[in-house]
Amino acid sequence: KLDGVIPKLLNKSHILLLVDGLDELPREHKGQFESDFTKLGNKLTTSKIILTCRSGGYSHYIDGFTVLEICPLEDFQINEIIQKWADEPEIFKSTLAKYPYSDLANRPLFLNQLIITFNYYGELPNQPSEVYERIINLMLIQWDLHRKVRRKSKYADFKPEKKIKFLSAFAYNLTYKIKSKTFTKKDLISTFQKIHNKFRLPPNEAELVAEEIESHTGIISKTTDHAYEFSHLSLQEFLCALYIVREPIGEMSSIYLKEYP
């Protein structure tokens, strides 16, 4: 059918086929799916396919497709979304501008969450930590739960709750010890080596763990072949702070806090 009936039907109808969530497919079916869409894409002449996924879910080039990445929202786009979705757009904008988490608004998912909170409560939280905690929970648990997506972890006990703790320790090491927002493959591996025992993760699978977190949560993103970063600096800082308040105060804590008050 992919060689005959379906391509002919799509071309005759001049269809734009939107396929969302390549990263949500079970690992065992992903290869066949990509192969099928390569065949289908190469047969289309007057129709087009747009296939979406988190960056971590795109592991190799799919023949016939052009790769694009969504940029953060620009100010006029943020304003347009607020005008359409917020119950009281001007009040929402003026309220959001007062808080340090206003920089989250350049990501559609985060902006949507802030608007939903404002529409429901008629206000936004005073404490930034409350907002960051909601966003982390949204990315790790609620987003998939709402859409009934089940993601299998390669690591038996690496549940969302443990991922939060792992990411907190990871963010702490990056922020205070490596002192960087963008980190290299070498940074990733060295940081992973320091904390993997605590989370019972294999010592030589740093990149695979990062890939799973990227494709399952979107909190860590691979920006190039050799560089990674947290999807938002505010989330990295929140996770780092979460580690500090949960762990015993170490001998270096006072030095770190002087450097990054």
Side-chain angles (χ1 to χ4, degrees):
K1 289 183 180 179
L2 289 175
D3 293 327
V5 177
I6 294 176
K8 286 180 181 177
L9 177 62
L10 292 175
N11 284 325
K12 187 177 180 179
S13 305
H14 299 274
I15 280 176
L16 173 62
L17 181 61
L18 303 175
V19 184
D20 182 37
L22 175 63
D23 56 291
E24 296 168 10
L25 282 173
R27 196 178 285 265
E28 60 270 23
H29 300 312
K30 192 175 173 185
Q32 183 60 52
F33 182 89
E34 291 176 354
S35 175
D36 288 344
F37 266 83
T38 296
K39 289 180 185 176
L40 181 58
N42 287 333
K43 291 285 184 179
L44 297 184
T45 54
T46 60
S47 288
K48 182 177 286 190
I49 302 170
I50 295 179
L51 174 63
T52 68
C53 70
R54 285 174 171 162
S55 55
Y58 183 76
S59 54
H60 61 271
Y61 176 72
I62 302 176
D63 188 40
F65 284 76
T66 301
V67 182
L68 300 172
E69 189 166 353
I70 296 176
C71 294
L73 295 172
E74 295 185 29
D75 289 343
F76 79 92
Q77 294 170 319
I78 294 172
N79 188 60
E80 190 174 338
I81 291 172
I82 292 172
Q83 292 296 332
K84 288 180 178 178
W85 294 356
D87 290 344
E88 298 177 280
E90 296 309 316
I91 296 177
F92 173 81
K93 284 193 288 184
S94 61
T95 303
L96 180 61
K98 297 175 185 177
Y99 296 114
Y101 53 77
S102 60
D103 61 348
L104 291 173
N106 66 358
R107 306 299 168 96
L109 182 62
F110 301 165
L111 177 57
N112 179 48
Q113 184 70 6
L114 291 169
I115 291 173
I116 288 172
T117 300
F118 177 80
N119 287 349
Y120 187 81
Y121 294 104
E123 59 184 10
L124 291 170
N126 290 321
Q127 293 296 326
S129 59
E130 186 179 336
V131 173
Y132 299 138
E133 189 170 8
R134 286 185 191 180
I135 295 295
I136 295 288
N137 186 58
L138 175 71
M139 297 180 80
L140 262 68
I141 303 170
Q142 295 301 324
W143 182 240
D144 285 344
L145 193 65
H146 176 69
R147 295 177 303 144
K148 297 182 174 61
V149 174
R150 293 176 63 87
R151 300 179 193 265
K152 288 183 181 178
S153 174
K154 181 182 175 185
Y155 309 99
D157 195 34
F158 205 36
K159 303 288 191 301
E161 295 77 12
K162 184 172 277 190
K163 280 179 180 165
I164 293 176
K165 293 179 180 178
F166 172 84
L167 286 165
S168 296
F170 195 77
Y172 172 79
N173 276 272
L174 286 169
T175 304
Y176 281 119
K177 297 192 175 179
I178 297 176
K179 302 177 183 177
S180 177
K181 178 178 183 287
T182 301
F183 46 101
T184 65
K185 178 180 174 181
K186 184 178 177 181
D187 295 331
L188 172 69
I189 292 171
S190 65
T191 302
F192 182 82
Q193 291 297 334
K194 292 173 185 173
I195 65 176
H196 74 89
N197 275 332
K198 186 175 182 180
F199 301 95
R200 298 179 184 176
L201 294 169
N204 60 342
E205 297 193 7
E207 287 185 84
L208 293 176
V209 171
E211 181 183 311
E212 177 170 308
I213 290 173
E214 182 183 10
S215 63
H216 284 204
T217 71
I219 291 179
I220 288 179
S221 299
K222 190 174 184 180
T223 55
T224 68
D225 287 342
H226 305 290
Y228 300 80
E229 65 180 23
F230 278 80
S231 62
H232 210 286
L233 180 59
S234 295
L235 299 184
Q236 179 181 339
E237 291 173 342
F238 170 74
L239 286 164
C240 178
L242 198 62
Y243 179 88
I244 291 171
V245 299
R246 287 181 174 180
E247 295 295 315
I249 294 177
E251 58 182 27
M252 298 294 289
S253 295
S254 60
I255 296 173
Y256 295 152
L257 290 172
K258 284 178 183 176
E259 291 180 358
Y260 291 106

